[in-house]
Amino acid sequence: MTRALALSGGGAKGAFQVGALRALAARGISFDLFTGVSVGALNAALAARGKLDDLEAFWKTATNDTVYRRDTSVLPWLVRLFSAEAADLVSAARRGYIYDSAPLRAALEAKAGDPPPRNLRVGFVNLESGLFHRDATAAAVLASASMPLYFPVVDVPGVGRACVDGGLRHVTPLSLAFDLLKKRPADPSDELWAIVCTPLKRLAPVPIDGRNALKTLTRTVDLITDQIFREDLLYAADINAALAAGGAGPFRSPKYRRVSLKVIAPQDDLGGTLSFDPRAAARAMELGAAAAARPLDGTELRSAIDPMDGEA
């Protein structure tokens, strides 16, 4: 039996995944294959190396300053005249991104440098071609965690000079996990676990007055990624259901394999995507551990995921 892990994006909410992994490890549940996008790529990179202690230590001490830097050359006077958000937008116009991810790059190179484990794949997007790519190098991990505009694009050798967050295409990297599973002999007991950082119910309403561009941008990104995340999970659930019924249409292809799908998700929103705080991370880890005790079976997903259409 092979057990694969898919870790979703979610920024600062990624501590939830670490708490869930800790709880699963305590129950003797380990993984053979590791995949991730965005913050899930960072978590997967360390988990695949058996560095769960290092991963937990990172989250317990992570602050905004240890993950990214603001552009201090424009910040002081703009903050005095307007706001920190105004300074961030001016920074993006000057250098092409809002936050410098140098602190995160340094931490990644120290803990998850090359050569990478063979049982790891992370997803990222070449912004120039628009294509989704799979790799496991440190550059690929950093690219996967680089939200465009918020963070600088990353040069991934052999792929492109402008690579960014894999969550643009797949917020939950189930396709990466399936690709790795296909390289192993089929076993009806194979399992695919997805640990996501977003509740399966609708996102809570957020007041938007249209005058704060950064807040509007952040909300827009949240809504787009939330939709992709739901479609990723529902597509996997539909494939499994079709295969359980004997396969139909395109699902008869050898590229599809039925697995036991398990999903761990928070009950409520975990907070800001870019708000790194040790106390919030500790709470998210507690919630992840609690959620790991009651994973959803793949057959429960369609009823568990709220529809996104408003009432007519």
Side-chain angles (χ1 to χ4, degrees):
M1 187 264 278
T2 300
R3 188 178 286 128
L5 177 66
L7 299 179
S8 78
K13 306 171 191 180
F16 176 86
Q17 297 174 339
V18 180
L21 288 174
R22 270 291 188 205
L24 293 175
R27 290 165 48 195
I29 298 175
S30 59
F31 295 92
D32 306 292
L33 306 172
F34 298 82
T35 65
V37 294
S38 198
V39 73
L42 299 173
N43 287 339
L46 269 72
R49 291 170 167 82
K51 295 183 176 182
L52 203 53
D53 288 343
D54 288 345
L55 193 53
E56 188 172 354
F58 167 80
W59 281 103
K60 284 183 174 179
T61 58
T63 65
N64 291 352
D65 291 338
T66 64
V67 177
Y68 58 80
R69 297 189 189 120
R70 275 190 159 97
D71 185 353
T72 56
S73 65
V74 299
L75 185 72
W77 65 270
L78 270 174
V79 170
R80 285 196 298 271
L81 289 176
F82 300 104
S83 66
E85 288 81 7
D88 288 339
L89 291 173
V90 170
S91 176
R94 292 174 71 245
R95 59 183 183 175
Y97 54 89
I98 297 174
Y99 307 120
D100 183 355
S101 57
L104 181 61
R105 181 191 292 270
L108 178 62
E109 290 174 348
K111 298 295 183 181
D114 295 329
R118 298 184 64 181
N119 61 344
L120 170 69
R121 289 293 183 280
V122 303
F124 59 97
V125 173
N126 182 336
L127 206 54
E128 294 179 309
S129 69
L131 297 177
F132 184 80
H133 292 268
R134 301 152 170 79
D135 210 333
T137 64
V141 175
L142 185 63
S144 186
S146 295
M147 227 188 312
L149 185 60
Y150 288 95
F151 298 112
V153 298
V154 177
D155 184 350
V156 178
V159 177
R161 62 185 179 180
C163 296
V164 297
D165 196 333
L168 289 180
R169 293 292 191 193
H170 298 286
V171 176
T172 306
L174 298 172
S175 63
L176 298 181
F178 276 118
D179 285 348
L180 288 180
L181 278 168
K182 284 188 300 185
K183 296 178 180 179
R184 299 202 171 196
D187 187 320
S189 62
D190 286 345
E191 293 179 354
L192 171 52
W193 290 66
I195 307 179
V196 302
C197 301
T198 304
L200 300 181
K201 61 185 182 182
R202 294 184 188 91
L203 291 178
V206 172
I208 300 288
D209 62 14
R211 292 179 293 179
N212 186 323
L214 191 58
K215 187 174 183 180
T216 300
L217 174 63
T218 301
R219 179 62 171 175
T220 301
V221 170
D222 285 345
L223 291 175
I224 292 171
T225 55
D226 182 65
Q227 181 68 27
I228 298 170
F229 142 77
R230 291 166 186 278
E231 290 174 353
D232 286 345
L233 290 178
L234 290 175
Y235 185 58
D238 288 346
I239 290 174
N240 251 6
L243 292 175
F251 298 136
R252 291 186 182 276
S253 167
K255 68 182 286 189
Y256 298 108
R257 177 194 298 185
R258 187 185 178 194
V259 298
S260 176
L261 182 61
K262 311 284 185 183
V263 178
I264 298 173
Q267 292 292 312
D268 299 296
D269 186 67
L270 297 172
T273 302
L274 293 174
S275 300
F276 291 86
D277 175 76
R279 287 175 297 181
R283 177 59 178 156
M285 283 190 275
E286 291 175 3
L287 294 173
R294 51 180 190 281
L296 281 173
D297 185 85
T299 58
E300 303 172 277
L301 277 178
R302 187 160 287 282
S303 61
I305 294 179
D306 279 349
M308 294 307 294
D309 293 337
E311 295 181 3

